[in-house]
Amino acid sequence: MKKHFIEDFKNLVGLTDTTDLAVLKVDRKVTRDGKPYLDFTLRDRTGEIGAKVWSDNINDTEECRVGDVVTVEFEVREYRGSLELTLRSVKKLSEFDPDDFIPVPHGIQIDELKLELARRIDSIRDFDLRKLIDAFFDDDAFYTAYTNAPAGMYIHHDYRHGLLQHTLEILRILDSITEIYPDINRDLITTGALLHDVGKIRELKFSMSGTTEYTREGQLMGHIALGVLMIESKLPDDFPVATREKLLHIVLAHQGKREMGSPVLPATREALAVYYADMASTFMNIAEHERLRGLRSKDESAEFSDYNRHLGNAMLLDD
Amino acid sequence: MKKHFIEDFKNLVGLTDTTDLAVLKVDRKVTRDGKPYLDFTLRDRTGEIGAKVWSDNINDTEECRVGDVVTVEFEVREYRGSLELTLRSVKKLSEFDPDDFIPVPHGIQIDELKLELARRIDSIRDFDLRKLIDAFFDDDAFYTAYTNAPAGMYIHHDYRHGLLQHTLEILRILDSITEIYPDINRDLITTGALLHDVGKIRELKFSMSGTTEYTREGQLMGHIALGVLMIESKLPDDFPVATREKLLHIVLAHQGKREMGSPVLPATREALAVYYADMASTFMNIAEHERLRGLRSKDESAEFSDYNRHLGNAMLLDD
Amino acid sequence: MKKHFIEDFKNLVGLTDTTDLAVLKVDRKVTRDGKPYLDFTLRDRTGEIGAKVWSDNINDTEECRVGDVVTVEFEVREYRGSLELTLRSVKKLSEFDPDDFIPVPHGIQIDELKLELARRIDSIRDFDLRKLIDAFFDDDAFYTAYTNAPAGMYIHHDYRHGLLQHTLEILRILDSITEIYPDINRDLITTGALLHDVGKIRELKFSMSGTTEYTREGQLMGHIALGVLMIESKLPDDFPVATREKLLHIVLAHQGKREMGSPVLPATREALAVYYADMASTFMNIAEHERLRGLRSKDESAEFSDYNRHLGNAMLLDD
Amino acid sequence: MKKHFIEDFKNLVGLTDTTDLAVLKVDRKVTRDGKPYLDFTLRDRTGEIGAKVWSDNINDTEECRVGDVVTVEFEVREYRGSLELTLRSVKKLSEFDPDDFIPVPHGIQIDELKLELARRIDSIRDFDLRKLIDAFFDDDAFYTAYTNAPAGMYIHHDYRHGLLQHTLEILRILDSITEIYPDINRDLITTGALLHDVGKIRELKFSMSGTTEYTREGQLMGHIALGVLMIESKLPDDFPVATREKLLHIVLAHQGKREMGSPVLPATREALAVYYADMASTFMNIAEHERLRGLRSKDESAEFSDYNRHLGNAMLLDD
Amino acid sequence: MKKHFIEDFKNLVGLTDTTDLAVLKVDRKVTRDGKPYLDFTLRDRTGEIGAKVWSDNINDTEECRVGDVVTVEFEVREYRGSLELTLRSVKKLSEFDPDDFIPVPHGIQIDELKLELARRIDSIRDFDLRKLIDAFFDDDAFYTAYTNAPAGMYIHHDYRHGLLQHTLEILRILDSITEIYPDINRDLITTGALLHDVGKIRELKFSMSGTTEYTREGQLMGHIALGVLMIESKLPDDFPVATREKLLHIVLAHQGKREMGSPVLPATREALAVYYADMASTFMNIAEHERLRGLRSKDESAEFSDYNRHLGNAMLLDD
Amino acid sequence: MKKHFIEDFKNLVGLTDTTDLAVLKVDRKVTRDGKPYLDFTLRDRTGEIGAKVWSDNINDTEECRVGDVVTVEFEVREYRGSLELTLRSVKKLSEFDPDDFIPVPHGIQIDELKLELARRIDSIRDFDLRKLIDAFFDDDAFYTAYTNAPAGMYIHHDYRHGLLQHTLEILRILDSITEIYPDINRDLITTGALLHDVGKIRELKFSMSGTTEYTREGQLMGHIALGVLMIESKLPDDFPVATREKLLHIVLAHQGKREMGSPVLPATREALAVYYADMASTFMNIAEHERLRGLRSKDESAEFSDYNRHLGNAMLLDD
């Protein structure tokens, strides 16, 4: 069980104790006088902190890498105005409670999100599309990954369950568009929306300790190509050709513009609708988090958040 | 009563008769041998046709301009492979049935649109915003203009009732966004959406004969500045300052980017939401009309519409 | 056997005879007086010509579409300053000599190109890559398509064998780059270059009568995604993961920039080298064809070709 | 009376005394050991300096905010190589001499600028335009704001009287353009230039202590829309329609391009001329200040200033 | 002496006579039945007209090329609604009055422009700069070319004396800028402005018959590089190094941005000032000519000119 | 002889001794208490280090500037976690071994590069081009500068001999292009490639102590204009006009796009080929150095280098 949280260390300068922390970065370095030491960045749900293992204690440090959770013996020090840990020993931990390490934005109810996902899946009545979707979601490993993954590394919905939340927002916006164009293929658009970002599961590695990294194939291929390959590998031989083309087209075109990474532009109403719903969900999320960050960090008289480069503006705080 | 429609002239070469047509263009020109003549483009609900008044009949032609409806004595001629009318006389008509001249896309039910508009207005429960909206819509001239205007000259919703249809589509998409962010100010967003394009009523001149032109102030000031001035002129002195700023901000920021004509970028969730809903309504409409145009004009084996430069692609026809 | 070529019709006004021509376009239209007629554009190796089947002869016209070769009974007419054919009958032809219909740029020696292709394939000594390449090129249908296809519809190498010529040019330029960086993986870069545009075989439909069209899947998915799927489908389960990623990366990144259609940017030396070699081959070809076109069509004193929008300039003719 | 200037503190380490300083920033923070303190940035005409009020003295600190001038009891300390003040008490001051706090670039003669402004106003002989201009400048509060405001926060003419200096520069450049085009409407162009940036008076809040901030309405509406509303509110009902449109057009179009914040592009010679004169005044000012900054801060052998991102280059210093 | 002007031919259909015309284009072509003919475009001060020499008269046609003035025996014909000349004979003419062929915009007073040029040259009191300027303008061939040349082919000041008029406008605008920055080097800026476009004299070939073409070196090197080489070739060995660099810098940087063809960006106040003055002169001229064209060609009720792509807008006509 | 290298100082804290170092930066500063001191950055082949001369020792410091090599009496100190030298005396040194100061990337064999350069020069058989090339390379000062210069300050081939290496890479890539287009003018393309960057020798100042700076004329004129002037000054009067134009065109157009600094775009095959070969050499070099930097500085498990903004991506390390 985790004994201390990072946010509490500021009142604990000088304390020597143990606790569990996740590894966000680790580098082997050399001091000016040539001695090796380890330079860590550690995190939990409440923040990040630097930590050092000096040469004398290196032998008490188990090999570990980004994403591992470790139990450390520490002393809290203040060094040049910042808190820092000096570590006596570091041991890898195989069991821990992810909730200690991963921040979840206030208000995400994962059980409700899962129920809504199930309802969305159940709404697909086209036999071929439903079989395809089931082939994805009946796979437990996929289901776990999909319902836990963030939608990205920094930009939007970049937290646990973010991908699922983002996908369901898109589907809700698509409801209003299919109301306007009732002859749009609802099952196709639902399947396309559910799978549009599916490649992110292989593009990003999201650990239970809350760290997100690009994978090697993610950086070399991108989530759009990965998503297309994942879907193709699940398509049965007798899947209708026209439906296959339209579905892959939604995935390929969902960034909407070539400079955003889509190799083709939307040519169907379903693909256009997913693109605009994706944009609305994405940028509303960016705006909301910038606004909330401003409300948390700014003094009361502040009227605007910091400038956000994705929005090209600061957000009004009393909105 | 209108006797002939333009689409029927192809079977009537040689016919001499009268009918009512709208003036789309008229120029006074001179033949190679120095004689004056009038060169018209006329239209009705079914199409456009060229027409000439030669010098002998100029005296039987009443002064008229773009947007007028006229009764003409005509002869149908074929000249270099195109149909053309030779006009004997042209008389201005003050009463006519707009439905003879303005094409309305299949499926627009103006009565239902007006009912939904009424419901949307009635949903505004904030006293100040409701009084402002009523100040607009209780004005009969404004109401008639608003419910008849197109949303633009060529690009999207460019037909009678187009502005109203476009606005209601935006509101429907906003419903889904306010579901996601329940603390968004619903009355403000509804008022902003209803008024975001209100400047188009002065930017464009839409005649009952179906022609649309930029007005002088429209070309010099643009619909965003005109909209802001129209709203400002209706705001009572005691209108809450913060609400005024947020409302005008929605109108100013609704194009979303400076290069699209918005002098400021969205800084509130309401303004962002109106921007994304506007985009989705706009581009889905462009896509749908390109697709319908392709289905009408292409031969059966064609799989794609023409290239549409706003979409950057052609639309799949069997979508 | 083909009796007449289009370039000779200018001396044959009034002639009635038969010949074989390829269908480039065909539309069913209606005359001003309501009668149906067929409006053809026909071509052979020497040019294009318009042709009409009037209503009386429609029954003597077999159903045909773009890419078919037909035997026509024609009369050569001059109409408003242009030559045109009036067709008495149109019959589909199943056997014909492609060389009558497809222009091949002066100097392409297909046998030599095929030999060089064989040498390039044979140079691959990595077992996995060689098996993959063989899986493609040992398939006769693929080999025929690959060695006949153009590299595009209009822009560069847009003629029979163009794809092969383009690919071999890239490989020659890559030779000079691998001389500079001898530790680049030669087999990987050769395989990547040979397959980088393989998706064009499904993106484009190139008929033996010389016409090129986008396919439905080509327009919806693009040649990059199609190429990735084609390669993936031929990869055996035991193909080395790292090689697979690097090979697919070359294909995905070969357009070099997102706005050119690559969803990821080059991250390996092999991918960068293929990108720059592809560019050099592409633009040198565009320039050479603009220059040759200028030399053919301009009068002797002309110093420059027409402006070419891909190059952003006109080409000097006496270069 | 102000006793010490910031530039002198470097020779006064250890001194304890009082002086008057303006508040540029103030934040309430917490030390590592949990005690509250106040973190100030203070400025006067000669520079900026950090200052802290530790928890023991917080009770001797009056509530104050950005733009206030305060009398402080201080001790000058050196901390990690920088000077810093430790404050014993902070008291708000209601009367002070702005010249102690606001740097005015060498060479601005405000009295001469005001005389030239008066001459420019007096040159307007069109009755309606003159009445409008008088309605602005006869208002003392407006006159004071206009003649003191900077033209911006950082970019150009960003100092006291900057707006007036910038406007008069534009008018001088316009003189040369109206010499070239003598039939340009001189009164309109003068009025347009005088009012083109009038919205900045509400977009920015410029305090007598020398600080500039965006206002809430400035950030939400921008100076162009604010300027249009300010002018509109002063236009009498009988103001000529055509002149109103042309005047508002100058204001709306004066940034010249949509991406620079103008919702419409110049469509009159007057608007074009104001745009180009505005650009010339703006960028010459940026260049001159970068050059002067380089001359002040660089060592003698330096030939170029720092790179300036607005100019895309460094300025030659011996120019 | 010229007998007929092109604008009068419309009343002279059928006339057979002789007159003098300039050759704007000439191509040797072949009729559909294989006979050679010559296809001319001819022009004079009042317009352009097509003309043909049929095979029977080719022997009565002297070899001629673009820019020549010829005496033709003609018959005025109307063909498919356009006027055209049939030519019986074509003889080259070595002496003619340029004023018959070159349109000069209303209001250019070349003698006054030359006087102002002389005054500007005379104002240069720096010994080295004055000697350089004299080296240019004391050369009669240069002086004639400079005072007759247009400033471009289509875009601005594209008529006889246009380069001189444009240069003097720039100098007038620079006067106002040097008033604002009195320490700017006046002689340098005057020399720079006089020579900034000097390369256009070699980039363009402007014939006394009014035609303008790019030269071979113009198209290969551009007027900026040509201007630098022209100046360099006139610089004496003892010309001060710093002045030479600043002068060439003005020429190199005067387009202001790389994408406009300047290989370096302005780094001196003189170069910046020339750039902004050049822009103002250029775009005011484009706007004025679009406006005048609109006033001439539009009917009285028209409020705006055609859209001008350089301005990104149409011009208000009653401005 | 150099006694100590910078990379060894970390084990020598406290040592007092002398060694030779190159001056990378030097500024005269004032301490908080008003005393002057000198603030140096010094470098050698192995790295950089800060150094200070306090006021007491200023008299023992010879005047020196960037690029000088100096002998210093030093003490190694550690200050706030970084190493720093305190200097007792500084003396300028006129003779030193450049290899002590300039890092040369592993694997550059300057003798082989020079041999290849000689072979390339010798391959030029066109008399005029060969005489021109000899006029450059027979000049010893030029030859030394050319064979030692870097190709740039930071971006690519930014080390001793970099310009030569880059040029020879281009020539090798051009070999493959001239194989494809055998009628390209080989002598012209070789001459163009050898001289395309010749202006960099005057644009940049590269000292034997390893520092690179822009020169004044480099910053004001750029290497393209300087190169054109250098070539022009060596062209004999009887040099063939057409060859001169094509050669200067290669130099002017070699950046390929206006926004990259080429005032004209390639209009000959030779110019296009040099442009694409230049790009390939440039970006492959950038990629290779980013990759090598990553391999050196990253820990073993790292899969990618840092993001490189010129490439728009990170490089795969196990490539």
Side-chain angles (χ1 to χ4, degrees), chain A residues 249-261:
Chain A
H249 177 69
I250 291 175
V251 177
L252 286 163
H254 85 263
Q255 304 277 54
K257 301 211 181 305
R258 282 206 189 78
E259 55 271 35
M260 301 309 291

Side-chain angles (χ1 to χ4, degrees), chain D residues 178-223:
Chain D
T178 49
E179 253 184 78
I180 299 169
Y181 295 94
D183 61 330
I184 274 189
N185 186 334
R186 255 179 189 277
D187 287 347
L188 178 63
I189 211 173
T190 302
T191 309
L194 286 170
L195 300 182
H196 84 289
D197 264 353
V198 89
K200 287 197 173 166
I201 288 172
R202 277 168 59 185
E203 185 188 37
L204 300 170
K205 185 165 56 196
F206 178 68
S207 81
M208 277 305 108
S209 63
T211 56
T212 306
E213 293 175 289
Y214 277 100
T215 61
R216 181 183 162 102
E217 68 177 352
Q219 190 130 347
L220 290 177
M221 304 183 58
H223 77 278

Side-chain angles (χ1 to χ4, degrees), chain D residues 33-188:
Chain D
D33 57 356
K35 293 190 188 154
Y37 69 99
L38 297 173
D39 188 12
F40 278 90
T41 309
L42 300 172
R43 56 169 288 173
D44 62 20
R45 191 183 73 203
T46 69
E48 301 179 8
I49 192 165
K52 298 223 164 39
V53 181
W54 301 111
S55 55
D56 291 350
N57 297 106
I58 283 194
N59 291 339
D60 303 317
T61 303
E62 293 186 11
E63 190 86 14
C64 59
R65 42 154 303 159
V66 176
D68 286 344
V69 171
V70 291
T71 300
V72 298
E73 282 184 90
F74 65 86
E75 183 190 341
V76 183
R77 298 184 51 220
E78 193 169 348
Y79 178 64
R80 292 193 195 145
S82 296
L83 288 186
E84 200 180 81
L85 303 182
T86 302
L87 306 183
R88 304 280 156 76
S89 70
V90 178
K91 288 196 172 43
K92 271 177 67 173
L93 201 61
S94 53
E95 303 229 330
F96 56 87
D97 182 351
D99 295 341
D100 287 342
F101 301 96
I102 311 175
V104 177
H106 177 70
I108 286 205
Q109 308 287 351
I110 182 59
D111 293 336
E112 287 187 17
L113 294 183
K114 285 180 174 174
L115 274 177
E116 191 177 339
L117 173 62
R119 275 195 303 272
R120 291 292 184 178
I121 290 172
D122 201 49
S123 78
I124 301 171
R125 310 314 296 170
D126 175 280
F127 179 77
D128 296 297
L129 291 169
R130 179 60 178 278
K131 258 180 57 184
L132 173 67
I133 280 294
D134 287 346
F136 275 99
F137 288 92
D138 289 351
D139 171 343
D140 282 352
F142 176 84
Y143 183 84
T144 303
Y146 189 94
T147 54
N148 278 293
M153 272 188 71
Y154 308 108
I155 302 178
H156 71 104
H157 298 89
D158 53 346
Y159 39 76
R160 198 179 179 192
H161 314 313
L163 177 61
L164 179 56
Q165 189 192 38
H166 171 52
T167 302
L168 294 172
E169 286 174 11
I170 290 175
L171 281 164
R172 223 179 276 200
I173 297 169
L174 289 173
D175 286 345
S176 63
I177 295 176
T178 49
E179 253 184 78
I180 299 169
Y181 295 94
D183 61 330
I184 274 189
N185 186 334
R186 255 179 189 277
D187 287 347
L188 178 63

